[in-house]
Amino acid sequence: MTKRSIYVAYTGGTIGMQKTSHGFAPVADFLTDCVKAMPEFYHEDMPEFVIQEYCPLIDSSDMAPTDWQMIADDIKLNYDKYDGFVILHGTDTMAFTASALSFMLQDLSKPVIVTGSQIPLAQLRSDGQTNLLNSLYIAANYPVAEVGLFFNNKLFRGNRTTKTHADGFGAFASPNFPLLLEAGIKIHMKAGKIAEPSDKPLNVATISPQPIGVVTLYPGITTDIIENILQQPVKALILLTYGVGNAPQNPALLKVLSQASQRGIVLVNLTQCLQGKVNMSGYATGNALQEAGVISGADMTTEAALTKLHYLLSKPMSPTQVREAMQQDLVGELSED
């Protein structure tokens, strides 16, 4: 029986870093050499794989929409040659990349798993070995046909993830959607669905960097701050509000938001809370935002909402069309009522 073959794209990040006199830093070919020195990756039950190291390697803090496009295009270029894809990535913006790829990789019929580590692969007690080993094994044997994020023995839906722990092994959570899969002593499918054969070709959406603002509301925030953020060339603003989508009932603030909406700026209401969803009809303060033209982001993560806006604003759509699409579940990023 022919072994499955997995394409590994090492974009950068902690997993492949080497200790230097100036601290841990990415070094070309170091990750590949580390993996070659670990026999468990070549166990008879493991799939075949190739590692493509990006040049230059990218610290995830430096990731931009142009890098999301590069990764998506790389997957498309190699799509017909491999049975699955593993993207090695730094943890800081991993949830953004996983979310972006979920919108960009359309008609996906093979697994794309984004993973990395909190401790470099070459170091004692690294979580990188377990994360990469499991990602490869799952991509070959449990091919869930969507963009997933694997970390700490859990496979999440990529566009439902957020980084919740700065330095723990359980760095990611999916607050509003169950696990796709859990890798314990046995591997258990949860909300994931094994890919079915498909003859649809992969379609990769093209995105371009978009001017999008994100502002967290806090007691005493002034209207001037939000008004300044809403200046051109901003096309959209994500408001991180209180509770189920509440904000101060400040007439000046509501006027600024209403004027921005009338100018075609897309205003999205997300909750600051880790779990739950926006319900602007529950309280007068939320209802006032709705009347000012602010739309609900439901239970989307900030990462999903931001990358969805990049995707939609890169298309020839009117502000009204973008607002409508933002409130629709396109690839499992939000829970519809």
Side-chain angles (χ1 to χ4, degrees), residues 83-308:
D83 299 301
F85 300 85
V86 173
I87 311 299
L88 296 179
H89 194 288
T91 59
D92 285 348
T93 61
M94 186 183 290
F96 287 95
T97 297
S99 296
L101 291 176
S102 75
F103 296 110
M104 298 171 71
L105 301 175
Q106 299 171 1
D107 294 322
L108 193 63
S109 59
K110 299 177 182 181
V112 175
I113 300 177
V114 187
T115 191
S117 70
Q118 294 284 58
I119 300 176
L121 186 62
Q123 297 300 302
L124 186 66
R125 298 182 55 252
S126 173
D127 54 328
Q129 185 178 9
T130 302
N131 287 343
L132 177 54
L133 196 75
N134 275 295
S135 293
L136 287 166
Y137 187 83
I138 289 165
N141 296 287
Y142 297 84
V144 178
E146 61 178 279
V147 179
L149 188 155
F150 186 89
F151 225 84
N152 197 36
N153 296 315
K154 298 177 177 69
L155 181 67
F156 304 100
R157 174 168 289 170
N159 58 33
R160 291 291 194 145
T161 58
T162 189
K163 189 175 182 183
T164 56
H165 203 309
D167 55 10
F169 286 148
F172 292 89
S174 175
N176 290 309
F177 194 79
L179 301 177
L180 297 179
L181 176 153
E182 187 164 22
I185 293 174
K186 292 185 178 180
I187 293 176
H188 294 285
M189 297 294 294
K190 301 290 186 179
K193 184 180 178 183
I194 297 293
E196 295 180 2
S198 170
D199 56 2
K200 279 187 177 181
L202 177 70
N203 181 37
V204 174
T206 299
I207 65 167
S208 53
Q210 300 293 326
I212 300 167
V214 181
V215 62
T216 301
L217 298 188
Y218 56 84
I221 189 170
T222 65
T223 301
D224 289 344
I225 290 174
I226 295 174
E227 189 172 22
N228 286 336
I229 294 172
L230 286 168
Q231 299 304 310
Q232 292 297 327
V234 167
K235 292 183 181 179
L237 176 68
I238 295 172
L239 283 168
L240 298 175
T241 58
Y242 308 125
V244 293
N246 299 317
Q249 276 191 297
N250 180 333
L253 171 61
L254 294 171
K255 182 180 178 182
V256 163
L257 294 174
S258 179
Q259 290 174 341
S261 181
Q262 290 168 20
R263 294 199 305 269
I265 296 175
V266 179
L267 306 173
V268 183
N269 187 354
L270 295 182
T271 175
Q272 296 176 21
C273 301
L274 198 59
Q275 282 186 280
K277 67 191 301 182
V278 166
N279 174 17
M280 289 194 288
S281 61
Y283 294 89
T285 51
N287 191 55
L289 289 179
Q290 196 167 28
E291 290 182 359
V294 181
I295 62 170
S296 170
D299 62 352
M300 278 190 288
T301 62
T302 305
E303 294 91 336
L306 184 80
T307 54
K308 187 175 182 179

Side-chain angles (χ1 to χ4, degrees), residues 25-102:
V27 176
D29 300 322
F30 183 67
L31 175 108
T32 301
D33 292 341
C34 284
V35 171
K36 286 179 178 177
M38 296 178 172
E40 52 271 32
F41 284 101
Y42 301 93
H43 187 281
E44 61 180 8
D45 293 336
M46 288 293 288
E48 293 180 352
F49 62 91
V50 299
I51 300 176
Q52 175 64 43
E53 293 199 9
Y54 283 20
C55 183
L57 294 169
I58 310 161
D59 187 294
S60 76
S61 298
D62 294 325
M63 278 279 173
T66 49
D67 298 306
W68 304 335
Q69 190 72 55
M70 178 177 64
I71 295 168
D73 290 342
D74 187 24
I75 291 172
K76 183 178 182 180
L77 184 66
N78 291 281
Y79 194 70
D80 295 332
K81 304 174 195 172
Y82 298 94
D83 299 301
F85 300 85
V86 173
I87 311 299
L88 296 179
H89 194 288
T91 59
D92 285 348
T93 61
M94 186 183 290
F96 287 95
T97 297
S99 296
L101 291 176
S102 75

